[in-house]
């Protein structure tokens, strides 16, 4: 009879118990529905003297009357690679893997509107800029069709429906349907570099991200982000600007000198000379919301990252603003390096350096090598992103890597602000009276001091009350309660999830044809 050691049995038992515990947990809300869970074991009773400071019941503020702030925990993944998002003290953090690969894309100044399920499409040759078609477009098309799920998306080869009408229209951002909100928009002349952070509907990070996207610090777009079109909310529904932790970097592949392009070498980008902005964004992909990381760069001494196609309704809408725009794509844009050199970005024809065998699960494995709509990738006809991007701005797959180590102050103010978090903020007054036990404090009693006659010059009599005057009385850091939203369990993270996890073309086509 085979004997099994007790230690082995205990090990197996603990593993099963641990696994069972994980499976039983609600992974869509790790706080158990209570973002103030850290006080759930505290109760101030009637006979507790702290009630004068905290009130009776579960405390919701500090002794200095500063309100407690909610805590959120979440995670998202692609390819069994995880990014952990947290909100603590109104600071959002996202920490994942180092040196994550990005692809280059560039917005073309349009928004694609898809025909609604029961909508009446425009004729093939309809003029989308004609005034008589404005209301028709607004009634029958939309940039997002949440009730139609995956089938709301139409492939590039499905431009016309069964009746020969337009399945989608591409509207320049100066189109009247946008109510003039982009009429004064600066030219969209900068590329952005992106990659997917989540699966569709991001269920395991949704609580944390819904909160973060609802705060005052969210949807604040910097100058580079605006020039990349990240403030066009029909394309980028939610945006949160991020900051790298001090030791995190962007890395550009400059290759190994004297060798072919398959000999790679990534060097740290000098952020002081090649300016960059980082964002976490929600954008629909195949008509489902995903979370993407995007970075925008620009050099002050050259225009390598800039481009506007010199044709089409968007270009024409810019008028005299086109005079100083660059009309050619820089195939290998330069980046300033921390070693003092400047290097040209070298892309790879593979999907990404962290994807050694995508062919194993029928997900391609090659870089699309062109911009434009993702479409039926891994079919070679597919592009690198969305239909609102230029085909000629190629992705340069994994020429750029970034460290997924970011933070963002959700109240929109840095901790370097000398008046933020002052102890009087909860009181709301510049003068705060402190109550204490009176007496003479600070008399030295150590023989080393008393034998030498050393007295404490700071020793003094303290009264029962003492008033301190602060330089200002700013309100405490607060928060905006997000709207209640349903967590949709999308694709469950698995070893088969992809960096841009979408249903395969054949499967989606079946849905569209139902």
């Amino acid at each position: 009879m085979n004997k099994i050691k007790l230690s082995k049995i205990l090990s197996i038992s603990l593993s099963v118990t641990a696994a069972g515990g994980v499976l039983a947990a609600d992974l869509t809300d790790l706080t158990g529905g209570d973002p103030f869970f850290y006080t759930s074991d505290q109760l101030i009773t009637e006979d507790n003297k702290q009630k004068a400071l905290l009130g009776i019941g579960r405390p919701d503020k500090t002794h200095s009357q500063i309100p407690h702030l909610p805590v959120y925990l979440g995670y998202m993944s692609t390819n069994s690679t995880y990014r952990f998002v947290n909100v603590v003290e109104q600071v959002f953090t996202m920490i994942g893997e180092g040196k994550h690969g990005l692809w280059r894309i560039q917005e073309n100044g349009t928004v694609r509107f898809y025909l609604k399920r029961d909508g009446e499409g425009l004729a093939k040759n309809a003029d989308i800029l004609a005034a008589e078609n404005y209301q028709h477009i607004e009634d029958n098309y939309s940039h997002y069709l949440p009730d139609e799920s995956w089938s709301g998306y139409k492939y590039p080869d499905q431009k016309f429906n069964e009746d020969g009408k337009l399945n989608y229209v591409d509207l320049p951002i100066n189109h009247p349907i946008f109510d003039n909100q982009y009429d004064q928009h600066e030219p969209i002349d900068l590329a952005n570099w992106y990659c997917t952070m989540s699966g569709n509907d991001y269920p395991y990070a949704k609580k944390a991200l819904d909160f973060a996207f609802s705060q005052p610090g969210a949807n604040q777009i910097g100058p580079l982000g605006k020039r990349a079109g990240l403030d066009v909310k029909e394309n980028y529904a939610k945006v949160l600007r991020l900051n790298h932790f001090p030791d995190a970097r962007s890395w550009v592949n400059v290759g190994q000198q004297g060798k072919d392009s398959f000999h790679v070498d990534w060097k740290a980008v000098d952020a002081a000379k090649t300016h960059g902005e980082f964002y976490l964004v929600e954008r629909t992909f195949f008509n489902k919301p995903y979370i993407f990381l995007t970075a925008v760069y620009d050099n002050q001494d050259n225009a390598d990252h800039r481009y506007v196609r010199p044709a089409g309704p968007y270009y024409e809408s810019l008028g005299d603003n086109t005079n100083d725009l660059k009309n050619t794509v820089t195939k290998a844009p330069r980046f300033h390096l921390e070693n003092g050199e400047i290097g040209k970005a070298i892309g790879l024809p593979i999907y990404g350096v962290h994807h050694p065998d995508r062919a194993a699960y029928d997900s391609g494995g090659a870089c699309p090598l062109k911009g434009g709509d993702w479409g039926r990738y891994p079919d070679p006809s597919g592009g690198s992103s969305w239909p609102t991007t230029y085909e000629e701005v190629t992705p340069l797959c994994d020429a750029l890597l970034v460290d997924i180590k970011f933070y963002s102050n959700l109240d929109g103010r840095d901790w370097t602000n000398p008046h933020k978090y002052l102890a009087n903020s909860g009181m709301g007054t510049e003068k705060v009276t402190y109550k204490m036990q009176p007496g003479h404090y600070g008399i030295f009693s150590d023989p080393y001091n008393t034998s030498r006659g050393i007295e404490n010059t700071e020793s003094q009599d303290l009264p029962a009350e003492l008033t301190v005057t602060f330089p200002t009385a700013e309100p405490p850091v607060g928060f905006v309660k997000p709207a209640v939203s349903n967590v949709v369990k999308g694709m469950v993270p698995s070893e088969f999830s992809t960096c841009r996890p979408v249903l395969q073309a054949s499967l989606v086509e079946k849905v569209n044809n139902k």
Side-chain angles (χ1 to χ4, degrees), residues 56-198:
I56 298 174
R58 184 175 172 180
D60 61 359
K61 56 189 173 184
T62 69
H63 282 199
S64 58
Q65 307 303 294
I66 296 175
H68 290 160
L69 295 171
V71 173
Y72 289 91
L73 314 169
Y75 66 93
M76 48 192 172
S77 68
T78 56
N79 301 95
S80 292
T81 304
Y82 289 81
R83 296 103 206 179
F84 298 89
V85 293
N86 299 295
V87 175
V88 180
E89 286 297 316
Q90 281 298 72
V91 178
F92 172 88
T93 60
M94 179 174 72
I95 299 179
E97 71 275 29
K99 297 181 176 63
H100 180 92
L102 303 181
W103 291 5
R104 181 180 66 166
I105 63 173
Q106 186 171 341
E107 295 295 331
N108 62 18
T110 69
V111 178
R112 175 159 291 188
F113 278 60
Y114 292 99
L115 182 64
K116 297 177 182 178
R117 180 181 290 128
D118 298 319
E120 181 182 345
L122 287 170
K124 285 185 178 182
N125 299 321
D127 181 1
I128 61 172
L129 299 179
E132 61 268 22
N133 289 325
Y134 295 168
Q135 191 61 49
H136 186 95
I137 293 173
E138 188 167 353
D139 292 342
N140 293 277
Y141 293 83
S142 179
H143 62 281
Y144 178 37
L145 302 169
D147 295 333
E148 299 188 27
S149 189
W150 303 98
S151 63
Y153 169 81
K154 283 81 177 178
Y155 286 88
D157 53 42
Q158 295 175 326
K159 186 173 182 179
F160 307 108
N161 64 11
E162 294 177 352
D163 298 325
K165 301 298 180 66
L166 289 171
N167 252 336
Y168 52 79
V169 293
D170 294 325
L171 306 181
I173 61 172
N174 69 315
H175 193 281
I177 201 170
F178 300 114
D179 295 325
N180 307 116
Q181 60 181 315
Y182 304 120
D183 284 359
Q184 303 303 315
H185 197 284
E186 47 271 271
I188 298 176
D189 69 336
L190 286 179
N192 73 77
W193 302 69
Y194 90 108
C195 194
T196 317
M197 293 285 100
S198 76

Side-chain angles (χ1 to χ4, degrees), residues 24 40 59 70 83 113 124 129 141 175 222 226 249 262 264 287 303 315 373 400 421 430 439 444 454 498 507 513:
S40 60
R83 296 103 206 179
F113 278 60
K124 285 185 178 182
L129 299 179
Y141 293 83
H175 193 281
K226 290 179 180 178
R249 296 288 187 273
F262 300 117
V264 296
N287 199 47
Y315 183 79
D373 200 346
L400 198 72
Y421 284 118
E430 290 185 5
F444 283 166
I454 300 173
T498 75
L507 179 58
N513 291 334

Side-chain angles (χ1 to χ4, degrees), residues 277-417:
E277 293 176 2
F278 304 94
Y279 297 89
L280 200 64
V281 304
E282 181 196 275
R283 183 168 185 174
T284 56
F285 196 50
F286 285 72
N287 199 47
K288 295 290 284 184
Y290 285 76
I291 297 297
F292 300 91
L293 175 71
T294 187
V296 187
Y297 301 92
D298 191 30
N299 296 319
Q300 300 307 297
D301 57 350
N302 63 61
D304 284 12
H305 298 273
R306 307 171 197 173
Y307 170 72
V308 177
R309 180 189 286 178
Y314 173 68
Y315 183 79
E316 294 168 3
S317 74
L318 298 176
D320 294 338
N321 289 332
T322 62
N323 295 336
D324 298 323
L325 296 178
K326 178 167 163 277
N327 300 141
T328 57
V329 179
T330 300
K331 299 299 183 183
R334 289 167 288 178
F335 289 80
H336 288 277
L337 309 179
E338 287 188 354
N339 63 12
E341 299 176 358
I342 189 167
K344 291 184 177 181
I346 300 173
L348 293 168
I350 61 174
Y351 192 92
V353 291
H354 286 286
H355 303 269
D357 191 3
R358 287 177 58 85
Y361 50 98
D362 302 322
S363 292
C367 176
L369 299 178
K370 69 174 183 177
D373 200 346
W374 183 267
R376 298 191 184 277
Y377 183 90
D379 184 277
S381 65
S384 58
S385 60
W386 290 274
T388 61
T389 61
Y390 293 124
E391 185 178 65
E392 63 268 28
V393 178
T394 56
L396 297 176
C397 295
D398 281 20
L400 198 72
L401 311 178
V402 294
D403 296 327
I404 308 298
K405 192 176 183 183
F406 294 100
Y407 74 92
S408 181
N409 292 312
L410 296 180
D411 65 332
R413 297 188 299 163
D414 290 341
W415 287 38
T416 54
N417 184 329

